[in-house]
Amino acid sequence: MKYAFIESDLVGQFPLPVICRVLLVTQAGYHAWLRRPASAMSVARDALADLIKRVFTAFRGKYGAPRIYREICRQHGYTGSYERVRVLMRALGLKAKAGRKYKVTTDSAHALPIAPNLLGQDFTHTHANAPNQVWLSDITYLWTKEGWAFVACMLDLFTREIVGWAIDSHMRKSLVHDALKMAEFRNGFTQKSGVGGLIFHSDKGSQYAAHEARNYLQKMGYRQSMSGKGNCFDNAPMESFWHSLKVEETHGRGFETREEAKRCEFGYIEGFYNTTRMHSSINWQSPREFRRAFEAKQLDVTTTVNAAIDDNTIFNRKPSPRGEDMAESMSTNHRDRLWSMSAEMSLEQAPRISL
């Protein structure tokens, strides 16, 4: 350890004989240490440090130790401990970007009707065990040299995906409506198709409490929900997204125009957050990965259910003496497959199936 300290911090600044005398080591010992081949542990540590630096740089300093650890496990086959990664990152001086406080943009000083809080700070799968059951919405702002740029977003509570967003020079109700229309278009929602009682949760801002907004939500079949006054915890997942956006992407950047800010928003939301960024609440997957996995499981279960129903129909017919054993085997196999798949799925994701 002394020789490594001499090599990294002292050689070149002080005469070697003086260094060795002060640290009570010999020059011969130091030169022998220089000629000694690196140990396997040292080589492995250096390789891991290099990998961590490359991943940290690739994500532009957005990932801290928890996400760096999961990224190198998933993409690079790392099998070591999280603690080793954390300690190495600290030694390398690598730290995820830090945030700062931001002003509130909610205009709740109005006499418009207020909807009840249907979520009650419960953001588990109690209210949303599939996509498009709860959408959260909010507005934030960015500074540009042209003036303020206001951003409205719609977040799917189950997948944590930003399903709709809009940016403009104002924060009138049309800003929220534009973001909502994007979310509806992306999910194929129309007034005719209906949305099956989707909960639309927001703060008490006038953009959401306006008569036009409430009438539109009612016409589309949404159930409107609102946070308590000045309580950011009532819309915590949305606030978490704003924090990620500003810390990881916009903090410290100077936008010349609103159009530049819009391109930045597009790149972060559609090119990183929805498609790549790992989220701790959805098993360290990106929102798009999580949604695809959920839909694939649903499709697999539905296929198995339909096959089981078909086999039951065949089985209930009067079988021929030869086919009786085969029909019973097919039916039993499908039932076993169905319950095995249901057991593998989490309680939150497993659909209700009636046979």
Side-chain angles (χ1 to χ4, degrees):
M1 184 64 71
K2 287 184 178 180
Y3 294 139
F5 174 62
I6 292 172
E7 176 67 17
S8 61
D9 289 30
L10 301 179
V11 169
Q13 299 187 43
F14 305 98
L16 183 60
V18 174
I19 296 173
C20 292
R21 186 168 63 250
V22 171
L23 296 180
L24 303 178
V25 296
T26 65
Q27 296 184 57
Y30 169 72
H31 289 297
W33 175 83
L34 286 178
R35 293 190 296 270
R36 189 181 307 155
S39 65
M41 183 177 293
S42 176
V43 171
R45 184 183 63 247
D46 292 344
L48 178 58
D50 182 64
L51 175 60
I52 289 172
K53 287 188 286 187
R54 285 190 285 112
V55 173
F56 185 82
T57 302
F59 286 97
R60 295 188 292 169
K62 297 174 183 178
Y63 277 8
R67 288 186 173 85
I68 291 288
Y69 168 70
R70 284 165 177 83
E71 177 68 17
I72 62 178
C73 285
R74 291 171 57 185
Q75 302 298 330
H76 302 275
Y78 175 68
T79 58
S81 69
Y82 162 75
E83 186 64 18
R84 189 180 185 191
V85 173
R86 187 188 67 80
V87 170
L88 263 179
M89 287 189 66
R90 176 177 291 181
L92 294 169
L94 302 179
K95 186 178 180 182
K97 294 179 179 178
R100 62 176 183 174
K101 294 183 178 180
Y102 293 90
K103 296 180 181 178
V104 176
T105 57
T106 305
D107 174 21
S108 56
H110 56 73
L112 297 169
I114 299 301
N117 187 342
L118 301 179
L119 301 182
Q121 295 187 15
D122 182 2
F123 303 112
T124 65
H125 291 164
T126 302
H127 298 287
N129 58 11
N132 300 324
Q133 292 186 346
V134 178
W135 285 353
L136 310 179
S137 182
D138 197 13
I139 300 173
T140 193
Y141 63 93
L142 301 171
W143 174 251
T144 76
K145 291 186 178 180
E146 289 183 340
W148 291 111
F150 296 93
V151 186
C153 281
M154 309 288 159
L155 182 146
D156 188 296
L157 180 59
F158 180 71
T159 65
R160 294 303 201 268
E161 181 178 3
I162 298 299
V163 292
W165 59 278
I167 184 169
D168 214 322
S169 60
H170 60 80
M171 52 186 294
R172 296 188 291 272
K173 53 183 175 287
S174 60
L175 177 69
V176 174
H177 186 71
D178 289 344
L180 180 56
K181 295 302 287 184
M182 178 190 286
E184 291 171 342
F185 177 80
R186 176 172 282 175
N187 289 280
F189 288 171
T190 64
Q191 184 180 356
K192 193 171 182 179
S193 68
V195 293
L198 181 150
I199 296 176
F200 183 87
H201 184 81
S202 68
D203 57 33
K204 294 182 177 180
S206 58
Q207 301 89 347
Y208 300 101
H211 296 292
E212 295 89 340
R214 291 187 295 107
N215 290 340
Y216 179 80
L217 295 177
Q218 185 176 10
K219 181 177 70 174
M220 288 295 294
Y222 297 113
R223 298 165 59 200
Q224 190 170 19
S225 171
M226 289 185 177
S227 304
K229 184 176 180 180
N231 192 343
C232 63
F233 298 105
D234 282 351
N235 205 1
M238 197 70 243
E239 297 294 339
S240 177
F241 168 73
W242 291 140
H243 178 268
S244 299
L245 167 70
K246 293 184 176 181
V247 168
E248 296 175 357
E249 188 67 21
T250 66
H251 178 49
R253 295 186 59 172
F255 297 112
E256 294 290 330
T257 63
R258 294 188 179 94
E259 183 61 31
E260 183 184 348
K262 185 175 183 179
R263 289 196 299 269
C264 175
E265 296 297 300
F266 174 81
Y268 181 79
I269 294 172
E270 306 295 353
F272 178 67
Y273 184 87
N274 280 346
T275 59
T276 304
R277 187 184 188 276
M278 290 183 284
H279 203 297
S280 58
S281 68
I282 51 175
N283 197 27
W284 299 99
Q285 295 175 286
S286 73
R288 201 66 55 80
E289 286 175 324
F290 183 74
R291 180 167 184 157
R292 280 199 297 263
F294 174 80
E295 291 174 346
K297 283 187 177 181
Q298 274 199 319
L299 180 61
D300 203 3
V301 169
T302 302
T303 302
T304 305
V305 171
N306 291 336
I309 292 172
D310 290 343
D311 283 349
N312 284 336
T313 303
I314 295 172
F315 181 65
N316 289 331
R317 294 175 185 168
K318 186 176 180 180
S320 64
R322 272 179 159 177
E324 185 172 359
D325 293 340
M326 183 180 294
E328 183 175 359
S329 175
M330 289 171 63
S331 180
T332 302
N333 287 341
H334 279 298
R335 287 195 192 98
D336 291 345
R337 170 66 175 152
L338 173 62
W339 293 116
S340 174
M341 288 173 53
S342 297
E344 290 174 0
M345 296 174 66
S346 65
L347 293 176
E348 294 82 6
Q349 296 184 25
R352 294 186 175 90
I353 302 171
S354 300
L355 294 177

